[in-house]
Amino acid sequence: MSREHKIIFAGPTGAGKTTAIAQISEKPPVSTDVANSDLRYGKATTTVAIDFGELALDGGEKLRLYGVPGQHRFSFIWEIAARGALGVILIADNTLEDPMAELQFYLEGFDSFVKRGAAVVVVNRLETHPHPAEEDYVKMLMDRGTPLPVMACDPRKKDDVLTVLDVLLTVC
Ligand SMILES: Nc1nc2c(ncn2[C@@H]2O[C@H](COP(=O)(O)OP(=O)(O)OP(=O)(O)O)[C@@H](O)[C@H]2O)c(=O)[nH]1
Ligand SMILES: [Mg+2]
């Protein structure tokens, strides 16, 4: 019987969770985007429940990919969605005013994964916003006693997203 693993994508609104899952899912992903009523975010749609995609690996294993909503008011869904997951991909959006402070919120929200090293940190939009650099994230994670792999990733690029998954599966 083939094995299945659940992987969670988390990060702020507009970080690219829905985009990343759409790039690698073999079946059309199920998304629950609606018109964005929250004017703090300059974004036409936002995910209110969860994204779901699937990806089969060469060894016959199947990954079930879940994107959890970025808005803080939906953070209660995180814990439910993450039950039984193998690992978590935490996306930091470098265009935010203080992306490392925002990341803290997700590091705390997925504390059990972060503490046992079942997570990777992904930094996006580095092409236009090079600061903080990957090394800054590495240092911040070391300083808080939770070293995790840190990678640049453009969620629009399938190869970038597959590399991130590869690293996560290696550390989990
Ligand atoms: N240029 C650039 N665009 C990016 C990058 N990462 C994400 N984007 C774009 O930002 C948008 C992200 O949108 P979504 O994938 O809907 O983001 P989300 O994380 O699902 O957001 P919510 O569902 O609202 O929480 C997409 O239009 C992406 O193409 C990046 O590294 N560079
Ligand atoms: Mg989304």
Side-chain angles (χ1 to χ4, degrees):
M1 198 179 74
S2 68
R3 285 193 299 153
E4 294 195 349
H5 299 299
K6 186 185 196 180
I7 305 287
I8 304 291
F9 290 71
T13 300
K17 303 172 294 290
T18 300
T19 306
I21 291 172
Q23 292 309 315
I24 59 172
S25 180
E26 284 160 354
K27 294 181 185 166
V30 180
S31 288
T32 46
D33 277 24
V34 298
N36 185 13
S37 58
D38 194 331
L39 299 178
R40 285 173 300 168
Y41 308 106
K43 198 163 175 283
T45 66
T46 189
T47 307
V48 288
I50 220 153
D51 300 299
F52 176 65
E54 282 181 323
L55 177 65
L57 301 180
D58 288 345
E61 293 169 309
K62 189 181 274 185
L63 297 185
R64 290 183 284 134
L65 314 164
Y66 292 86
V68 296
Q71 296 179 56
H72 291 190
R73 65 195 165 108
F74 293 123
S75 60
F76 66 94
I77 295 177
W78 299 356
E79 195 198 319
I80 301 164
R83 271 181 211 154
L86 182 70
V88 182
I89 295 169
L90 299 174
I91 310 181
D93 181 351
N94 245 23
T95 59
L96 296 177
E97 200 179 319
D98 192 349
M100 287 213 280
E102 179 71 15
L103 180 62
Q104 294 296 333
F105 191 70
Y106 293 86
L107 290 167
E108 282 158 25
F110 293 94
D111 187 52
S112 62
F113 292 88
V114 169
K115 278 199 178 126
R116 68 172 191 268
V120 296
V121 169
V122 156
V123 187
N124 78 359
R125 298 193 176 88
L126 274 163
E127 79 273 14
T128 50
H129 294 75
H131 302 292
E134 286 160 88
E135 308 82 75
D136 300 321
Y137 284 94
V138 170
K139 185 174 182 311
M140 178 274 285
L141 289 162
M142 294 281 267
D143 288 349
R144 77 191 290 282
T146 56
L148 294 174
V150 177
M151 268 165 294
C153 170
D154 184 335
R156 298 167 302 172
K157 295 184 182 158
K158 184 176 179 179
D159 284 351
D160 277 21
V161 184
L162 288 175
T163 304
V164 170
L165 265 184
D166 230 29
V167 172
L168 182 68
L169 292 174
T170 307
V171 297
C172 281

